């Protein structure tokens, strides 16, 4: 009898599994590689919304927790996937500059916006209205983090690399039975894959497709991240990642020609040096109708939980939310009503 079954080893499932491991709980994790959102994510831990110069939801509280969490995970796994990355916002007008300074006057966001603007960050990136630096930014390599933890799970015998079949789950008086595995509880962390989960598919998770292109630009020599209408950041050697796109209508997993053309067009406006597109990746962000995570206990089945809805900034959010969910399950601490799925029960849940 395990304490937990976790379904999904994206950022959500991985953060939960690591917390449970540290707490000495027994578990197995199922993953079938059907969703890519965590693997293709840019990996930024950036507390500032760079379109509006506002602080992302609870980002000041989450940032420190996330940093400590990933550092601890690195030490545990003896791998390095977290590092500093300077991020600059290229301004497109005087008005944008003014908005930056106005935002920097607000106490909550002031610690994250440098008020000393810089005229240039790279000779191939013109910036008529200069650049503002976001402070306290860092980046994890999400793919490497997930692969490293999966390897660790595999070594321990805690990873099952197959599709979890919801129809084969039996609810028992003491917990659940899934094929030959008995467990007290199941936590579903399937990202956009929640649509195939008969227990939680009632939740209004919408999905938002995001794509990046990877370019080779030998002359660029850029060591920082730059955001204009798109983001560009170093991806090793003379490779750079450029993105991301947002689509609420296309729910297919594959990269598209339209996204590639959109990104190339915007990139030509940002960098003035030759480049070639060498790769393209896509993922479905598990975005929600109210832009908050969806976390908590099934309305009828008390041993079933979900930890989902990280439509954006999952890297920043997942370490805090996984802690909240475990405190809720193990210690009975109340969930923040903003994230608790019970906010959807009345309108969206219909008893089977
Ligand atoms: C292009 C792009 C760029 C992004 N950039 C950033 C960024 O810079 N910073 C940031 O914080 N966030 C970023 N995000 C958002 C981030 O990716 C998400 O917030 C987060 O990764 C979601 O993680 P998740 O674990 O909830 O879902 P997912 O990553 O989708 O993981 C779900 C997992 O469950 C598995 N699964 C599903 N169904 C089953 C089943 N039945 N059986 C077994 N396994 C199953 C899947 O294989 C998958 O591994 C980006 C997203 C995209 C698409």
């Amino acid at each position: 009898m395990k304490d937990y079954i976790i379904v999904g080893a994206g950022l959500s499932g991985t953060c939960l599994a690591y917390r449970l491991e540290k707490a000495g709980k027994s578990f197995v994790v199922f993953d079938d590689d059907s969703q890519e959102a965590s693997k293709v994510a840019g990996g930024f831990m950036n507390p500032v919304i760079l379109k509006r110069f506002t602080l992302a939801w609870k980002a000041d509280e989450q940032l420190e927790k996330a940093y400590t969490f990933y550092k601890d995970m690195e030490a545990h796994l003896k791998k390095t996937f977290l590092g500093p990355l300077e991020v600059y916002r290229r301004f497109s007008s005087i008005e944008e500059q003014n908005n930056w300074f106005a935002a920097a006057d607000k106490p909550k966001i002031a610690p994250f916006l440098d008020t000393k603007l810089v005229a240039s960050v790279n000779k191939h990136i013109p910036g008529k209205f200069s650049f503002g630096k976001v402070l306290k930014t860092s980046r994890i390599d999400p793919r490497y983090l997930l692969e490293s933890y999966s390897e660790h799970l595999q070594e321990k015998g805690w990873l099952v690399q197959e599709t979890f079949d919801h129809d084969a789950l039996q609810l028992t008086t003491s917990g659940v039975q899934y094929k030959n595995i008995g467990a007290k509880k199941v936590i579903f962390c399937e990202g956009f894959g929640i649509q195939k989960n008969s227990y939680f598919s009632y939740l209004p998770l919408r999905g938002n497709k995001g794509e990046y292109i990877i370019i080779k630009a030998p002359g660029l020599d850029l060591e920082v991240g730059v955001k204009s209408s798109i983001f560009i950041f170093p991806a090793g050697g003379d490779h750079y990642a450029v993105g991301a796109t947002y689509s609420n209508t296309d729910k297919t997993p594959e990269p598209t020609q339209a996204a590639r053309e959109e990104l190339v067009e915007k990139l030509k406006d940002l960098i003035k040096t030759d480049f070639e597109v060498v790769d393209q990746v896509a993922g479905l962000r598990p975005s929600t109708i109210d832009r908050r995570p969806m976390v908590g206990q099934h309305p009828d089945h008390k041993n079933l939980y979900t930890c989902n809805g990280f439509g954006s900034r999952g890297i920043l959010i997942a370490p805090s939310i996984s802690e909240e969910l475990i405190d809720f399950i193990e210690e009975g601490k109340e969930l923040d009503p903003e994230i608790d799925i019970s906010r959807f029960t009345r309108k969206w849940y219909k008893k089977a």
Side-chain angles (χ1 to χ4, degrees):
M1 184 83 164
K2 301 277 182 194
D3 292 319
Y4 289 89
I5 292 172
I6 296 174
V7 182
L11 265 168
S12 171
T14 295
C15 290
L16 271 167
Y18 185 58
R19 285 209 180 276
L20 290 174
E21 180 180 353
K22 297 285 279 189
K25 300 289 173 189
S26 59
F27 61 87
V28 285
V29 181
F30 281 76
D31 197 274
D32 64 356
D33 275 333
S34 55
Q35 296 294 328
E36 291 279 291
S38 298
K39 288 189 200 114
V40 306
F44 295 105
M45 286 214 282
N46 164 27
V48 180
I49 298 173
L50 286 172
K51 216 172 177 180
R52 298 189 292 273
F53 310 145
T54 51
L55 200 63
W57 178 69
K58 294 190 175 183
D60 44 350
E61 297 163 33
Q62 291 158 353
L63 187 63
E64 205 164 308
K65 196 162 270 182
Y67 195 82
T68 313
F69 178 87
Y70 294 123
K71 273 281 160 211
D72 183 70
M73 208 173 172
E74 279 190 334
H76 187 73
L77 299 174
K78 298 188 178 59
K79 299 274 168 79
T80 305
F81 41 74
L82 172 65
L85 180 76
E86 289 188 6
V87 172
Y88 290 85
R89 172 66 155 82
R90 183 174 81 161
F91 301 120
S92 59
S93 64
I94 291 289
E95 194 193 347
E96 269 195 355
Q97 269 190 16
N98 290 340
N99 292 344
W100 179 272
F101 286 118
D105 267 345
K106 295 181 184 146
K108 270 208 151 210
I109 198 165
F112 303 107
L113 300 184
D114 196 342
T115 47
K116 274 191 255 101
L117 303 189
V118 294
S120 172
V121 294
N122 179 286
K123 66 179 178 188
H124 300 294
I125 303 184
K128 196 171 158 197
F129 299 98
S130 44
F131 299 79
K133 183 177 172 188
V134 186
L135 303 172
K136 304 187 188 188
T137 51
S138 50
R139 182 178 175 261
I140 62 164
D141 180 337
R143 195 177 288 273
Y144 188 49
L145 180 158
L146 297 178
E147 279 169 8
S148 303
Y149 196 62
S150 284
E151 252 172 50
H152 171 73
L153 292 177
Q154 230 167 341
E155 278 164 24
K156 296 276 187 187
W158 298 340
L159 182 66
V160 185
Q161 287 171 297
E162 60 181 52
T163 301
F164 187 89
D165 173 7
H166 303 90
D167 293 338
L169 182 68
Q170 291 173 308
L171 308 177
T172 65
T173 45
S174 57
V176 299
Q177 187 67 36
Y178 182 74
K179 297 180 181 173
N180 60 344
I181 303 170
K184 293 180 187 156
K185 295 174 170 63
V186 187
I187 310 179
F188 293 102
C189 312
E190 299 145 312
F192 190 66
I194 197 174
Q195 297 206 317
K196 294 189 182 150
N197 180 332
S198 43
Y199 296 101
F200 286 104
S201 57
Y202 74 90
L203 288 169
L205 190 136
R206 294 287 182 246
N208 183 297
K209 185 167 175 176
E211 302 190 45
Y212 266 107
I213 51 169
I214 311 300
I215 60 154
K216 189 174 175 187
L220 184 57
D221 202 18
L222 178 70
E223 287 176 2
V224 299
V226 181
K227 165 87 171 91
S228 62
S229 62
I230 45 164
F231 227 125
I232 180 166
F233 62 92
D238 49 16
H239 288 63
Y240 301 87
V242 179
T245 56
Y246 293 83
S247 169
N248 282 320
T249 48
D250 178 6
K251 305 291 164 73
T252 58
E254 298 85 14
T256 61
Q257 184 64 25
R260 189 184 180 111
E261 283 167 12
E262 176 192 329
L263 292 171
V264 166
E265 197 58 34
K266 289 180 174 168
L267 183 62
K268 281 182 182 161
D269 177 57
L270 180 63
I271 67 169
K272 301 296 170 198
T273 186
D274 293 340
F275 65 87
E276 70 172 300
V277 179
V278 293
D279 200 5
Q280 187 174 353
V281 291
L284 284 151
R285 301 177 182 92
S287 59
T288 62
I289 51 168
D290 60 0
R291 293 164 181 263
R292 294 290 175 266
M294 289 176 166
V295 182
Q297 191 174 39
H298 190 275
D300 286 329
H301 307 302
K302 301 301 170 200
N303 297 317
L304 306 185
Y305 299 82
T306 188
C307 190
N308 208 322
F310 301 143
S312 66
R313 292 175 206 262
I315 286 155
L316 203 58
I317 295 173
S320 298
I321 301 292
S322 55
E323 185 178 49
E324 278 192 57
L325 179 57
I326 291 170
D327 286 351
F328 168 70
I329 301 174
E330 292 289 328
E331 290 169 33
K333 283 194 192 166
E334 262 185 47
L335 278 177
D336 176 354
E338 268 196 285
I339 66 166
D340 192 334
I341 53 168
S342 63
R343 70 193 187 277
F344 296 116
T345 309
R346 188 142 38 115
K347 183 164 175 202
W348 297 88
Y349 183 61
K350 299 206 175 25
K351 257 183 192 302

